[in-house]
């Protein structure tokens, strides 16, 4: 509910610091193995530099719960991206494709210059249904299981994954370690909610589930989650993407989608973030009342 300005948020400082170190060690003239090792070592170094002082502060603080909530607050930042998806949807509904492309390009890594209205709508829905849910749910789960330091570590790994996109030629090998960790985090965060939706999806019977063997270009969690959301809302999701004019194959989930229904469906995709916040408040109350 509370948000810092973008240029004041610690994650912005982290991205600038990570970009500075990346320019020092990421060189395309190095071998593939050397780039992969350099990316893994830099990721470990960034986590060590950022989490060591946080751990010292957390251990020396008298109010552990309060400081833990502060680290969690830093880790689940998503409000700016959510607002941008709303602006992009408003521009798309008004027929302002050029403005919608410019806004969408701020929160997706792939090429947006030639995206159609359907492609822009897919990008908006996928960010709200997948990326924002992972960015909030994964740190929350880590916070409950392993504490605030783990939650912050999860968010830093997610930031490194977005900072070093593997489809980009420069980070094709350098970002492998961050990609593997992100896909693991994404699967752990999304597989369980996708499985919980299976009984309800079986009852509505809009279309059968896509077989796992057809999964391409997505992690297991992202594949199951997008498939379940496509069946739940009858939306067309997934499909190939272009990055630096290079086509990347991904599984396509069938459904109906038109620019006219973007605004009508937009509030449904935001319900998942509201559900996560409500669960967070409920679990905090339970832990406070029934503390071991």
């Amino acid at each position: 509910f509370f948000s810092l300005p973008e240029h004041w948020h610690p994650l912005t400082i982290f991205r600038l610091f990570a970009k500075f170190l990346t320019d020092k060690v990421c060189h395309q003239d190095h071998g593939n193995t050397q780039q992969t090792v350099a990316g893994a070592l830099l990721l470990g170094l960034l986590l060590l530099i950022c989490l060591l002082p946080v751990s010292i502060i957390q251990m020396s603080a008298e109010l552990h719960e309060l400081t833990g909530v502060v680290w969690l607050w830093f880790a689940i930042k998503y409000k700016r991206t959510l607002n941008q998806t709303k602006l992009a949807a408003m521009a798309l509904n008004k027929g302002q494709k050029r403005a919608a492309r410019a806004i969408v390009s701020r929160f997706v890594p792939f090429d947006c210059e030639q995206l159609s209205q359907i492609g822009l709508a897919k990008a908006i829905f996928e960010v709200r249904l997948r990326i924002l849910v992972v960015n909030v749910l994964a740190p929350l789960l880590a916070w409950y299981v392993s504490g605030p330091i783990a939650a912050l570590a999860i968010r830093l790994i997610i930031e490194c994954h977005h900072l070093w996109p593997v489809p980009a030629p420069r980070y094709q090998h350098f970002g492998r370690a961050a990609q593997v960790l992100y896909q693991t985090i994404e699967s752990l965060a999304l597989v369980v909610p996708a499985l919980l939706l299976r009984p309800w999806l079986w009852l509505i019977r809009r279309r059968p589930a896509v077989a796992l063997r057809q999964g391409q270009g997505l992690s297991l969690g992202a594949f199951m989650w997008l498939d379940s959301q496509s069946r739940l809302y009858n939306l067309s999701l997934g499909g190939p993407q272009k990055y630096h004019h290079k086509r990347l194959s991904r599984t396509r989930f069938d459904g109906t989608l038109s620019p006219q229904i973007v605004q009508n469906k937009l509030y449904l995709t935001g319900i998942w973030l509201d559900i996560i916040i409500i669960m967070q408040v409920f679990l905090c109350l339970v832990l406070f009342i029934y503390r071991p």
Side-chain angles (χ1 to χ4, degrees):
F1 295 106
F2 301 98
S3 179
L4 281 174
E6 181 69 15
H7 56 281
W8 287 358
H9 201 283
L11 287 176
T12 303
I13 301 173
F14 171 79
R15 286 194 293 267
L16 293 174
F17 180 58
K19 185 68 170 59
F20 170 77
L21 293 182
T22 301
D23 294 336
K24 297 292 184 182
V25 299
C26 181
H27 302 288
Q28 290 184 310
D29 55 343
H30 293 165
N32 297 342
T33 304
Q34 186 176 358
Q35 290 188 43
T36 303
V37 173
L41 292 177
L42 181 58
L43 177 60
L45 179 62
L46 287 170
L47 293 177
L48 179 64
I49 292 175
C50 297
L51 297 180
L52 183 60
V54 172
S55 302
I56 295 174
I57 295 173
Q58 181 67 21
M59 289 186 295
S60 60
E62 294 184 2
L63 300 175
H64 293 279
E65 291 83 0
L66 180 59
T67 54
V69 169
V70 172
W71 307 131
L72 179 65
W73 180 42
F74 290 155
I76 63 174
K77 167 188 172 292
Y78 71 93
K79 193 171 183 180
R80 178 174 177 268
T81 305
L82 183 66
N83 292 336
Q84 286 182 345
T85 58
K86 293 179 181 178
L87 292 176
M90 291 173 58
L92 189 61
N93 286 333
K94 294 177 181 178
Q96 302 171 351
K97 289 194 296 184
R98 182 174 299 178
R101 289 178 183 138
I103 298 172
V104 170
S105 64
R106 300 173 189 172
F107 53 81
V108 298
F110 51 87
D111 299 340
C112 301
E113 295 82 5
Q114 298 180 347
L115 280 181
S116 63
Q117 290 183 325
I118 301 299
L120 292 170
K122 281 186 177 183
I124 295 169
F125 281 125
E126 186 166 339
V127 168
R128 292 172 69 94
L129 285 172
R130 174 190 169 196
I131 297 177
L132 288 180
V133 170
V134 172
N135 289 0
V136 176
L137 185 58
L140 273 176
L141 293 176
W143 191 75
Y144 279 110
V145 174
S146 302
I149 307 302
L152 196 57
I154 292 295
R155 186 52 192 263
L156 295 184
I157 293 173
I158 293 174
E159 290 296 320
C160 288
H161 167 72
H162 294 310
L163 187 64
W164 306 328
V166 173
R170 181 183 181 187
Y171 306 115
Q172 182 178 3
H173 303 283
F174 189 83
R176 288 292 180 186
Q179 183 192 38
V180 171
L181 290 176
Y182 176 80
Q183 289 182 345
T184 303
I185 293 168
E186 187 176 52
S187 296
L188 293 175
L190 295 181
V191 164
V192 174
L195 290 176
L196 292 176
L197 282 175
R198 285 300 176 94
W200 173 250
L201 297 174
W202 182 81
L203 290 174
I204 61 178
R205 294 178 179 273
R206 282 182 175 161
R207 68 166 176 81
V210 179
L212 287 176
R213 64 177 180 275
Q214 299 180 17
Q216 185 178 12
L218 296 168
S219 66
L220 175 63
F223 173 83
M224 296 180 62
W225 179 249
L226 289 181
D227 184 34
S228 64
Q229 297 300 299
S230 174
R231 296 167 63 194
L232 180 64
Y233 297 135
N234 194 26
L235 291 175
S236 175
L237 297 173
Q241 294 177 341
K242 280 189 177 181
Y243 197 95
H244 289 192
H245 307 289
K246 179 182 178 182
R247 189 176 185 273
L248 305 175
S249 298
R250 295 194 319 160
T251 305
R252 187 190 302 274
F253 305 99
D254 295 331
T256 59
L257 185 61
S258 64
Q260 288 73 26
I261 68 172
V262 171
Q263 196 67 34
N264 298 332
K265 295 283 187 179
L266 201 61
Y267 78 97
L268 294 175
T269 62
I271 287 176
W272 292 104
L273 293 173
D274 296 335
I275 291 174
I276 293 173
I277 292 174
I278 293 171
M279 291 176 58
Q280 159 74 10
V281 174
F282 175 75
L283 290 174
C284 282
L285 292 174
V286 170
L287 290 177
F288 179 77
I289 297 172
Y290 300 102
R291 180 174 298 180

